Amino acid sequence: MSDSAAPTPGLGEKLTAEIIGTFILVFGVIGTALYSAGFAGGDGGFNVGFLGVALALGLSVVIGAYAFGPISGGHFNPAVTIGLAVAGRFAWRDTISYILAQLVGGVLASTLLLVILAASDKLTATSFTGASTGYDVLSPDGFGLVSVFIVEALTTAVFLFVILGVTSVRAAAGFAPLAIGFTLTVLALIAIPVSNASFNPARSIATAIYGGPDAIGQVWLSIVAPIVGAIIAAVISRFVFDRPGRITKIAH
């Protein structure tokens, strides 16, 4: 019988998958925020509100994870990549390459969203401000720096715990993308009023570069807090999941 096993994807294939997957994530969630949730100042009867944005985030990740998870592992998030490396689930040597690919995918998505607005004369100086993550003036409900830092770090930690749990050898096969997407939806419903719900430095950078001075000045928090949360979860996970013989590496 011939060997029909699929060949192991190369690094180039993995990075391409991360670019496309992160593009889908940012295009889905920020596109919904800009065009359908009233954040860009439009009404038109298409306001899906916070629930719509939360669903867009979860569904975008489900789509990307099913499509590209078998190739790259479906990270689409620098905090996830770093957290998986700390947890021993991902090779440190590929971490920088993955993060760069995620940034490329995110910035490409936000740039095309900007072009779509500009092509119809709907682009304003604050179009991306309302979709940017931050505190005080950038927080939908006016939460301060400490609150936003805690919610971004804590939600990212919970997110990584779920990823590590549903990709363990004891988890039900085939359901990881659904669990991960549903988790993101729930976490976004909690965090959108507080921070605008990023949990993802690539998503935060992609919107902040077009979000004006406040977004640029606050983007550091949306980079640092998710990474801190992911590292904390990864360290704790070694006492929960990673006893010898219980866990395998995350599937690529």
Side-chain angles (χ1 to χ4, degrees):
M1 182 181 293
S2 62
D3 185 3
S4 60
T8 302
L11 181 60
E13 293 171 289
K14 294 178 181 180
L15 297 181
T16 302
E18 284 295 303
I19 290 172
I20 299 172
T22 310
F23 176 92
I24 292 172
L25 188 159
V26 174
F27 195 79
V29 67
I30 302 305
T32 301
L34 288 173
Y35 305 151
S36 299
F39 288 154
D43 39 32
F46 297 113
N47 195 325
V48 299
F50 289 164
L51 177 59
V53 177
L55 286 172
L57 175 59
L59 291 173
S60 297
V61 170
V62 169
I63 292 165
Y66 272 121
F68 302 108
I71 301 172
S72 68
H75 299 187
F76 317 141
N77 183 336
V80 169
T81 297
I82 292 171
L84 291 174
V86 172
R89 301 283 195 92
F90 185 71
W92 279 106
R93 66 178 179 274
D94 293 335
T95 300
I96 298 300
S97 297
Y98 262 55
I99 291 172
L100 291 175
Q102 293 153 3
L103 292 174
V104 168
V107 170
L108 180 60
S110 64
T111 299
L112 289 176
L113 289 168
L114 180 144
V115 169
I116 292 168
L117 286 173
S120 296
D121 296 324
K122 294 183 179 296
L123 181 66
T124 69
T126 60
S127 291
F128 280 79
T129 304
S132 297
T133 313
Y135 51 91
D136 294 337
V137 295
L138 292 184
S139 166
D141 202 25
F143 283 81
L145 186 154
V146 174
S147 297
V148 170
F149 192 100
I150 291 172
V151 80
E152 284 288 312
L154 181 58
T155 49
T156 306
V158 171
F159 182 42
L160 192 68
F161 273 129
V162 171
I163 291 173
L164 292 169
V166 299
T167 56
S168 74
V169 294
R170 292 176 181 266
F175 291 96
L178 289 175
I180 291 167
F182 289 156
T183 299
L184 269 181
T185 299
V186 172
L187 294 177
L189 288 173
I190 297 168
I192 286 175
V194 182
S195 66
N196 246 343
S198 175
F199 335 125
N200 186 336
R203 170 261 195 258
S204 296
I205 292 170
T207 51
I209 58 175
Y210 301 123
D214 287 325
I216 290 292
Q218 295 186 22
V219 73
W220 66 269
L221 185 149
S222 302
I223 297 171
V224 174
I227 291 174
V228 168
I231 290 173
I232 291 172
V235 171
I236 295 174
S237 75
R238 290 184 173 273
F239 300 96
V240 179
F241 300 117
D242 289 345
R243 294 178 183 175
R246 291 187 61 189
I247 298 297
T248 58
K249 284 188 177 181
I250 185 171
H252 289 345

